[in-house]
Amino acid sequence: MSWTLRAAGPEDAEAIAETLQIGFDGYRELAPPGWRPPDARSAAEITRVRARLGEPSTWAMLAEDGGLVAGHAGYVPQPGFPGSAHLWQLFLRPPWWGTGIARALLHEAIAAAAREGYRRMRLFTPRDQARARAFYEREGFEHTGWEAFEEAIGLVLVEYAREPLERR
């Protein structure tokens, strides 16, 4: 294992936006013809990410390998649901798929959320993203049955949740 994990902060907004863009670009394989990914590297999006990373209620972690950004994860409180965290993002750059980094980031997020008193974690992922769905299911998340078209991304998203947040 040559990679490391560290806390992410506002200074990491550009790297996180770049990883997010790479993830969005990968959705082209499952998106309908003519679909265009959102621009995660726009000045407005980087400003939004930087602000979120600066909020005290945001937890975020960056994975690095040999000085290169491999991926990141982050969660925030789920609005309107005390005791539930929302996995805001979990993205890895393709060279690090299958290395265990995504699992390590997710486990760190779950452990941190449990330490903060969260009992549940939920997330959204594209309905047709079979690889991500299988990953979350292996990690103890269950499809809640909720799905809806998300205008901002232009895809149908599904919700997954895990409760309780104990180690499995």
Side-chain angles (χ1 to χ4, degrees):
M1 179 178 91
S2 62
W3 46 269
T4 58
L5 303 178
R6 67 167 176 81
E11 68 280 3
D12 297 305
E14 288 85 0
I16 286 172
E18 179 66 27
T19 303
L20 181 58
Q21 188 66 55
I22 292 166
F24 283 168
D25 289 344
Y27 292 166
R28 289 179 196 273
E29 298 171 10
L30 55 100
W35 178 84
R36 296 178 57 117
D39 185 1
R41 292 175 295 206
S42 70
E45 182 61 17
I46 290 171
T47 298
R48 189 183 74 76
V49 169
R50 185 175 289 113
R52 176 161 275 176
L53 291 168
E55 293 173 7
S57 60
T58 299
W59 177 94
M61 185 164 275
L62 201 70
E64 296 174 314
D65 186 4
L68 300 174
V69 173
H72 68 274
Y75 69 79
V76 296
Q78 181 181 345
F81 290 88
S84 184
H86 170 69
L87 188 65
W88 165 50
Q89 293 185 6
L90 174 54
F91 283 90
L92 240 61
R93 295 180 185 198
W96 290 277
W97 290 355
T99 63
I101 295 175
R103 188 169 193 260
L105 284 166
L106 182 60
H107 286 203
E108 289 288 332
I110 290 168
R115 282 192 304 273
E116 287 189 46
Y118 292 104
R119 298 176 307 283
R120 177 180 186 270
M121 182 176 279
R122 69 99 185 248
L123 62 94
F124 299 124
T125 194
R127 178 191 61 204
D128 299 327
Q129 179 50 286
R131 181 183 178 104
R133 292 182 69 169
F135 168 74
Y136 291 121
E137 289 168 8
R138 282 192 310 273
E139 296 302 322
F141 285 78
E142 296 178 0
H143 182 243
T144 67
W146 180 93
E147 66 177 64
F149 181 78
E150 174 58 48
E151 190 70 38
I153 193 169
L155 298 172
V156 175
L157 299 182
V158 294
E159 180 185 55
Y160 275 80
R162 178 173 162 167
E163 183 176 11
L165 287 184
E166 61 196 26
R167 199 176 241 323
R168 295 183 182 182

